Amino acid sequence: MKKVTKMNVLREQHPCFGARNNRGRMHLPVCPGCNIFCRFCERSINTEENRPGVAAKVITPNEACEYVERAIRFCPDITVVGIAGPGDTLASDNAIKTFELIGRQFPKLLKCMSTNGLLLKERLPDILRVGVDTLTVTVNAINPKIEAQLNDGIVYHKEKIMGEAGARILIGNQLAGIKAAADAGITIKINTVLVNEINRFHIKDIARTAAECGAAIYNIIPLIPQHKLKAFSVPNCIDIETVRREAGKYIDVFRHCQHCRADAVGIPGKNNFSQQVYFDKIPVKETFSHG
């Protein structure tokens, strides 16, 4: 008889851990603000772009359950409720409040949170309290000199800390948070944005370190050139496959990322019901400022 493990369940139920073509997920866009200044990130409110950091609108935690009910009517195959923005999930209390409400009303749905990890360790008690099943932590470097080329700085306990000083705090907090969360039994996926000109030859180091901290799976996302890195190159298939092979020496590598919006609804690569669920009117496109 096949032994049932948490990872086996995730591989059967969670699209980002191996379930394909028959399992859906819903992203709840409840987090507008962010606490780091990624040079490639441009959060936006619109219905046109298909990428992370974008949603048709931001909803409140109290509205979330109603939207989950609507989503399940459109896509009964939804097994996961995730929160991935448009900002960071731990930059406010919105994600924690939302998961608390979702857990009460939809206890069978897996709860998945994405974060930059700056506040992961200090907010871990809240994350555990509301029953988050999986965490995705975006780690783009473990070397502050490299991180500072990808991220201008952070806002940490109301203080703006720029350059390598901010990068050093971010990386230390990320790794400490990943280890603490993994030790507490949460399954961790690491996302890394591949920027050929900056962290191409650093990926294997991130993968090795993430695995040592307890991460279970690794997802390498090719850069979408925008914001301050809009002149940088798009990694091609050879670039991506090469770094996946290098990372795969240390950790399982996820290969089916769809660059999901922060309000995605449905089965990745098969259907998308986000407009049916969230759409009220066509919003005027606007871009968030940080904070």
Side-chain angles (χ1 to χ4, degrees):
M1 181 180 293
K2 181 180 178 181
K3 182 180 179 181
V4 177
T5 66
K6 185 174 182 180
M7 182 56 73
N8 287 338
V9 172
L10 291 174
R11 291 189 186 282
E12 293 175 357
Q13 300 290 324
H14 198 315
C16 293
F17 286 83
R20 298 183 62 195
N21 299 323
N22 63 346
R23 300 296 184 183
R25 52 55 181 122
M26 177 184 193
H27 289 172
L28 293 165
V30 297
C31 301
C34 196
N35 48 13
I36 70 174
F37 303 95
C38 292
R39 295 173 59 83
F40 52 78
C41 180
E42 188 172 16
R43 289 172 289 141
S44 181
I45 295 293
N46 70 72
T47 58
E48 294 82 33
E49 296 178 270
N50 187 28
R51 62 174 176 83
V54 174
K57 60 183 176 181
V58 176
I59 66 173
T60 69
N62 288 331
E63 293 172 325
C65 288
E66 177 185 345
Y67 282 110
V68 174
E69 287 181 347
R70 293 175 62 179
I72 291 173
R73 288 199 295 269
F74 282 105
C75 184
D77 297 312
I78 288 174
T79 54
V80 180
V81 169
I83 303 179
D88 187 69
T89 50
L90 297 177
S92 71
D93 291 329
N94 288 10
I96 297 297
K97 291 178 180 177
T98 301
F99 280 132
E100 190 169 26
L101 295 170
I102 294 298
R104 293 174 187 166
Q105 190 162 338
F106 305 95
K108 293 184 179 180
L109 292 177
L110 293 172
K111 293 182 285 295
C112 181
M113 173 186 282
S114 295
T115 178
N116 58 42
L118 177 62
L119 299 177
L120 176 54
K121 187 174 181 179
E122 64 185 82
R123 298 302 305 270
L124 185 58
D126 291 323
I127 293 169
L128 294 170
R129 175 176 57 81
V130 298
V132 170
D133 297 287
T134 69
L135 277 167
T136 294
V137 185
T138 298
V139 181
N140 294 318
I142 56 167
N143 181 325
K145 292 183 181 296
I146 297 174
E147 177 66 29
Q149 298 175 62
L150 296 163
N151 171 23
D152 286 331
I154 65 175
V155 178
Y156 187 51
H157 297 297
K158 300 182 179 181
E159 181 182 0
K160 185 180 288 187
I161 307 170
M162 307 304 286
E164 288 185 30
R168 193 170 293 108
I169 293 171
L170 175 61
I171 293 167
N173 287 10
Q174 287 174 329
L175 299 182
I178 291 165
K179 186 178 188 310
D183 288 346
I186 298 178
T187 303
I188 312 291
K189 175 168 70 70
I190 303 298
N191 278 357
T192 296
V193 177
L194 171 62
V195 184
N196 278 335
E197 295 89 339
I198 298 176
N199 66 356
R200 158 66 184 83
F201 298 102
H202 189 50
I203 299 294
K204 59 182 179 298
D205 299 323
I206 302 172
R208 182 181 63 249
T209 302
E212 290 171 351
C213 289
I217 194 166
Y218 192 46
N219 181 30
I220 300 165
I221 305 171
L223 173 72
I224 299 175
Q226 59 186 353
H227 196 39
K228 294 183 178 181
L229 299 190
K230 62 185 178 182
F232 282 55
S233 64
V234 179
N236 60 37
C237 293
I238 295 175
D239 297 326
I240 298 167
E241 186 54 38
T242 299
V243 293
R244 282 174 173 170
R245 187 168 57 249
E246 292 171 353
K249 296 176 182 178
Y250 306 101
I251 191 170
D252 285 343
V253 176
F254 179 64
R255 296 172 178 268
H256 307 290
C257 182
Q258 298 290 320
H259 271 139
C260 295
R261 289 168 54 100
D263 60 2
V265 179
I267 300 173
K270 186 175 181 180
N271 53 44
N272 183 13
F273 297 101
S274 59
Q275 290 198 18
Q276 289 91 329
V277 172
Y278 292 115
F279 189 85
D280 290 325
K281 61 182 180 180
I282 299 176
V284 176
K285 182 175 179 180
E286 57 182 281
T287 301
F288 283 118
S289 61
H290 285 275

